[in-house]
Protein backbone atom coordinates (compact mmCIF):
# COMPACT_ATOMS: atom_id res chain seq x y z
CA UNK A 1 0.00 0.00 0.00
CA UNK A 2 1.17 3.51 -0.65
CA UNK A 3 1.56 6.10 2.14
CA UNK A 4 -1.77 7.81 1.45
CA UNK A 5 -3.68 4.55 1.66
CA UNK A 6 -1.88 3.60 4.89
CA UNK A 7 -2.74 6.91 6.59
CA UNK A 8 -6.36 6.69 5.44
CA UNK A 9 -6.60 3.16 6.83
CA UNK A 10 -5.09 4.33 10.13
CA UNK A 11 -7.54 7.24 10.29
CA UNK A 12 -10.46 4.86 9.74
CA UNK A 13 -9.19 2.72 12.63
CA UNK A 14 -8.91 5.80 14.85
CA UNK A 15 -12.46 6.88 13.94
CA UNK A 16 -13.84 3.44 14.85
CA UNK A 17 -11.77 3.43 18.07
CA UNK A 18 -13.44 6.74 18.93
CA UNK A 19 -16.80 4.93 19.13
CA UNK A 20 -15.35 2.14 21.27
CA UNK A 21 -13.99 4.73 23.68
CA UNK A 22 -17.27 6.65 23.76
CA UNK A 23 -19.20 3.44 24.50
CA UNK A 24 -16.79 2.60 27.33
CA UNK A 25 -17.06 6.13 28.75
CA UNK A 26 -13.28 6.40 28.44
CA UNK A 27 -12.22 10.01 29.17
CA UNK A 28 -9.03 9.41 27.14
CA UNK A 29 -11.20 9.85 24.02
CA UNK A 30 -10.12 13.50 24.06
CA UNK A 31 -6.56 12.33 23.35
CA UNK A 32 -7.73 11.48 19.81
CA UNK A 33 -8.19 15.23 19.16
CA UNK A 34 -5.83 18.08 18.36
CA UNK A 35 -5.56 20.77 21.04
CA UNK A 36 -7.61 23.18 18.89
CA UNK A 37 -10.17 20.66 17.62
CA UNK A 38 -13.76 21.69 17.02
CA UNK A 39 -16.80 19.49 17.46
CA UNK A 40 -20.43 20.08 16.44
CA UNK A 41 -23.43 18.30 18.00
CA UNK A 42 -27.12 19.10 17.26
CA UNK A 43 -28.96 21.18 19.87
CA UNK A 44 -25.58 21.77 21.58
CA UNK A 45 -23.56 23.67 19.04
CA UNK A 46 -19.78 23.89 18.84
CA UNK A 47 -17.16 22.81 21.35
CA UNK A 48 -13.69 24.23 20.76
CA UNK A 49 -10.59 22.53 22.14
CA UNK A 50 -10.04 19.34 24.08
CA UNK A 51 -11.32 20.79 27.39
CA UNK A 52 -14.68 21.80 25.91
CA UNK A 53 -15.01 18.50 24.03
CA UNK A 54 -14.35 16.64 27.28
CA UNK A 55 -16.91 18.79 29.12
CA UNK A 56 -19.46 18.07 26.38
CA UNK A 57 -18.85 14.31 26.75
CA UNK A 58 -19.32 14.52 30.51
CA UNK A 59 -22.52 16.54 30.05
CA UNK A 60 -23.92 14.06 27.54
CA UNK A 61 -23.05 11.28 29.97
CA UNK A 62 -25.29 12.88 32.61
CA UNK A 63 -28.31 12.03 30.43
CA UNK A 64 -27.26 8.64 29.06
CA UNK A 65 -26.73 5.66 31.35
CA UNK A 66 -25.48 3.36 28.59
CA UNK A 67 -24.59 3.75 24.94
CA UNK A 68 -23.59 1.16 22.37
CA UNK A 69 -22.69 1.80 18.76
CA UNK A 70 -23.28 -1.14 16.43
CA UNK A 71 -19.70 -1.11 15.13
CA UNK A 72 -20.02 -4.25 13.01
CA UNK A 73 -22.67 -2.51 10.92
CA UNK A 74 -20.76 0.73 10.30
CA UNK A 75 -20.28 2.16 6.85
CA UNK A 76 -16.85 3.81 6.85
CA UNK A 77 -15.68 5.99 3.96
CA UNK A 78 -12.53 8.04 3.68
CA UNK A 79 -11.14 10.58 1.28
CA UNK A 80 -8.14 12.79 1.88
CA UNK A 81 -8.23 14.08 5.46
CA UNK A 82 -11.85 12.97 6.01
CA UNK A 83 -13.42 9.84 7.45
CA UNK A 84 -17.20 9.49 7.44
CA UNK A 85 -18.88 6.91 9.64
CA UNK A 86 -22.56 6.06 9.33
CA UNK A 87 -24.21 3.66 11.70
CA UNK A 88 -26.67 2.94 14.47
CA UNK A 89 -26.59 3.27 18.23
CA UNK A 90 -28.73 2.13 21.12
CA UNK A 91 -28.78 2.69 24.82
CA UNK A 92 -30.63 3.76 27.93
CA UNK A 93 -31.14 7.24 29.32
CA UNK A 94 -30.49 7.96 32.99
CA UNK A 95 -34.28 8.14 33.41
CA UNK A 96 -34.51 4.50 32.29
CA UNK A 97 -35.82 4.97 28.74
CA UNK A 98 -34.36 2.57 26.17
CA UNK A 99 -33.61 3.98 22.75
CA UNK A 100 -34.24 3.87 19.88
CA UNK A 101 -37.94 3.08 20.00
CA UNK A 102 -38.20 2.18 16.30
CA UNK A 103 -41.29 4.36 15.95
CA UNK A 104 -39.95 7.88 15.82
CA UNK A 105 -36.39 7.38 17.04
CA UNK A 106 -34.12 5.09 15.07
CA UNK A 107 -30.66 5.56 16.53
CA UNK A 108 -29.07 6.40 13.19
CA UNK A 109 -26.13 8.78 13.01
CA UNK A 110 -23.41 10.04 10.72
CA UNK A 111 -20.11 11.46 11.96
CA UNK A 112 -17.70 13.40 9.79
CA UNK A 113 -14.12 13.39 11.08
CA UNK A 114 -11.46 15.70 9.67
CA UNK A 115 -7.93 14.64 10.51
CA UNK A 116 -4.65 16.44 10.90
CA UNK A 117 -2.10 13.66 10.81
CA UNK A 118 -3.50 10.96 13.10
CA UNK A 119 -5.51 13.35 15.29
CA UNK A 120 -9.07 14.59 14.81
CA UNK A 121 -9.12 18.30 14.01
CA UNK A 122 -12.87 18.60 13.42
CA UNK A 123 -15.80 16.34 14.19
CA UNK A 124 -19.39 16.97 13.13
CA UNK A 125 -21.92 14.59 14.65
CA UNK A 126 -25.29 14.28 12.94
CA UNK A 127 -27.80 12.48 15.17
CA UNK A 128 -31.23 13.12 16.65
CA UNK A 129 -30.37 14.14 20.23
CA UNK A 130 -33.94 13.34 21.37
CA UNK A 131 -32.93 9.90 22.61
CA UNK A 132 -35.93 9.53 24.95
CA UNK A 133 -38.39 10.68 22.30
CA UNK A 134 -39.67 13.56 24.41
CA UNK A 135 -39.76 16.23 21.71
CA UNK A 136 -43.47 15.72 21.09
CA UNK A 137 -43.88 18.60 18.63
CA UNK A 138 -41.13 17.21 16.43
CA UNK A 139 -42.61 13.74 16.64
CA UNK A 140 -46.16 14.95 15.93
CA UNK A 141 -45.37 16.30 12.47
CA UNK A 142 -43.56 13.08 11.55
CA UNK A 143 -46.46 10.97 12.76
CA UNK A 144 -48.98 13.05 10.80
CA UNK A 145 -46.93 12.65 7.62
CA UNK A 146 -46.55 8.90 8.22
CA UNK A 147 -50.34 8.63 8.68
CA UNK A 148 -50.98 10.46 5.41
CA UNK A 149 -48.48 8.26 3.57
CA UNK A 150 -50.20 5.04 4.67
CA UNK A 151 -53.29 6.16 2.77
CA UNK A 152 -51.37 6.38 -0.53
Amino acid sequence: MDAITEIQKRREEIAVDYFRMVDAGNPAVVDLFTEDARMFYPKFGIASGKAQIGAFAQGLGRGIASLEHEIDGFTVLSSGNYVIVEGAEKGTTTSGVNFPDGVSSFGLFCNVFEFQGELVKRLHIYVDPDFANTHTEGVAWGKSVQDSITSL
Side-chain angles (χ1 to χ4, degrees), residues 15 18 66-67 73 75 83 96 109 117 132 145:
Y18 161 87
S66 69
L67 181 63
T75 297
V83 175
F109 69 88
V145 172

Side-chain angles (χ1 to χ4, degrees), residues 17 22-23 30 46 70 90 97 106-107 128 130 134 136 138 144:
D17 284 345
V22 166
D23 290 354
V30 298
I46 305 276
E70 297 174 3
K90 61 185 175 183
V97 176
F106 298 93
D128 182 356
D130 184 20
T134 58
T136 54
S144 70

Side-chain angles (χ1 to χ4, degrees), residues 52-63:
Q52 287 186 10
I53 291 169
F56 163 81
Q58 287 179 331
L60 186 63
R62 287 196 299 264

Side-chain angles (χ1 to χ4, degrees), residues 11-141:
R11 289 170 174 166
E12 289 177 6
E13 291 169 354
I14 292 166
V16 172
D17 284 345
Y18 161 87
F19 292 100
R20 289 187 179 101
M21 294 175 84
V22 166
D23 290 354
N26 186 342
V29 71
V30 298
D31 295 335
L32 300 178
F33 293 86
T34 63
E35 290 297 326
D36 63 344
R38 292 175 51 92
M39 184 207 73
F40 165 79
Y41 191 89
K43 303 295 185 198
F44 167 78
I46 305 276
S48 297
K50 289 169 104 171
Q52 287 186 10
I53 291 169
F56 163 81
Q58 287 179 331
L60 186 63
R62 287 196 299 264
I64 298 177
S66 69
L67 181 63
E68 179 185 344
H69 291 89
E70 297 174 3
I71 293 172
D72 291 340
F74 279 1
T75 297
V76 180
L77 304 168
S78 62
S79 179
N81 293 331
Y82 294 90
V83 175
I84 298 142
V85 179
E86 181 184 58
E89 62 189 6
K90 61 185 175 183
T92 305
T93 65
T94 53
S95 61
V97 176
N98 292 326
F99 62 88
D101 66 10
V103 176
S104 57
S105 68
F106 298 93
L108 302 176
F109 69 88
C110 184
N111 284 20
V112 178
F113 297 83
E114 179 183 357
F115 282 84
Q116 181 177 356
E118 291 190 5
L119 294 175
V120 178
K121 181 165 183 64
R122 182 179 70 86
L123 172 59
H124 283 195
I125 301 169
Y126 301 100
V127 66
D128 182 356
D130 184 20
F131 298 109
N133 199 16
T134 58
H135 179 214
T136 54
E137 289 177 23
V139 173
W141 81 264

